[in-house]
Amino acid sequence: MTQTLTKEAKRTLESDRIARILKSDRRYHRLCRDIAAGVATDPGADGPASLQRKIVQEAIAIAGTAGKTQTVRRVADECALDRFYHRPNSTLTPQQYAAGLRFRRAWLRSARRARVTQTYDTQEIERGGDLAGQENTSYAREIVTSALDVLTSAQRRAVVAVCGEDERVGMRGKTLCAGLESLHALWSGK
């Protein structure tokens, strides 16, 4: 009799556990639907990975709602340069960080492939404006070329690896800072 009760108790515990899992799954899907509909706010990332990184809270405009905004959280560290800058023992200055981000944007823009199809709408293309168009890709290549001409070979390798290719900083922190300082001096003179 006691063995039968324990088997029944085990079945009950197992069915209760499955019911809790299904109930939490339904809550999750309901919350996802509400967030997509704009009824509920997006809580953003939570968990151990988000606790280790800097979280930025922003208000973004929701499409098709006539300017209604919603608060959204996102992780601030999107590339290796961000992680190096937000480190507690970072030696990177805000000017060097801005120069690194400018190099990163130009590097990524210069690596874009040319468009295969033609657009038939009229576009007003400014130098350094939007990311579309062959002219902006050429301008980005000019920025990257002028930046690499200023740097030494070690600084060039460090800046391209960390800012352009998004590799870890590792042992090249001082070299990277010196290279970004040279880029800041180059671009602040213009």
Side-chain angles (χ1 to χ4, degrees):
M1 178 85 178
T2 57
Q3 287 182 346
T4 324
L5 267 161
T6 58
K7 287 182 181 177
E8 289 178 21
K10 287 181 182 178
R11 284 186 202 138
T12 306
L13 288 175
E14 183 64 19
S15 64
D16 288 344
R17 187 182 72 80
I18 291 172
R20 282 194 306 269
I21 291 172
L22 291 174
K23 189 174 185 180
S24 67
D25 194 40
R26 277 183 248 135
R27 284 184 189 148
Y28 171 75
H29 288 297
R30 189 178 319 126
L31 179 63
C32 288
R33 279 196 316 264
D34 290 347
I35 290 170
V39 178
T41 60
D42 186 4
D46 59 350
S50 67
L51 296 176
Q52 298 299 320
R53 298 180 181 159
K54 183 178 179 185
I55 304 292
V56 178
Q57 191 165 350
E58 298 175 334
I60 61 166
I62 300 172
T65 58
K68 184 178 175 185
T69 61
Q70 179 177 356
T71 304
V72 177
R73 293 185 301 176
R74 68 174 178 85
V75 179
D77 299 339
E78 296 177 350
C79 64
L81 188 66
D82 289 338
R83 288 187 289 279
F84 183 58
Y85 180 66
H86 293 299
R87 246 180 5 195
N89 60 350
S90 176
T91 57
L92 205 60
T93 64
Q95 293 83 12
Q96 293 169 346
Y97 176 64
L101 288 179
R102 182 173 179 184
F103 181 85
R104 178 178 171 76
R105 282 191 301 271
W107 180 271
L108 293 175
R109 193 181 309 169
S110 69
R112 289 176 51 110
R113 295 181 140 189
R115 293 175 68 137
V116 178
T117 59
Q118 179 181 356
T119 58
Y120 293 100
D121 57 344
T122 57
Q123 296 181 13
E124 182 178 327
I125 299 174
E126 302 173 5
R127 287 181 67 112
D130 61 348
L131 293 178
Q134 186 65 29
E135 292 83 3
N136 288 322
T137 304
S138 299
Y139 179 64
R141 286 189 188 120
E142 291 174 13
I143 290 174
V144 169
T145 303
S146 66
L148 293 178
D149 288 341
V150 172
L151 303 174
T152 65
S153 62
Q155 291 173 349
R156 196 176 303 139
R157 284 191 303 269
V159 169
V160 168
V162 175
C163 299
E165 301 294 329
D166 203 26
E167 294 179 10
R168 291 183 321 126
V169 175
M171 299 299 290
R172 41 186 172 211
K174 289 182 181 178
T175 309
L176 176 69
C177 289
L180 292 178
E181 187 61 39
S182 299
L183 292 181
H184 171 66
L186 171 71
W187 288 326
S188 64
K190 286 186 177 182

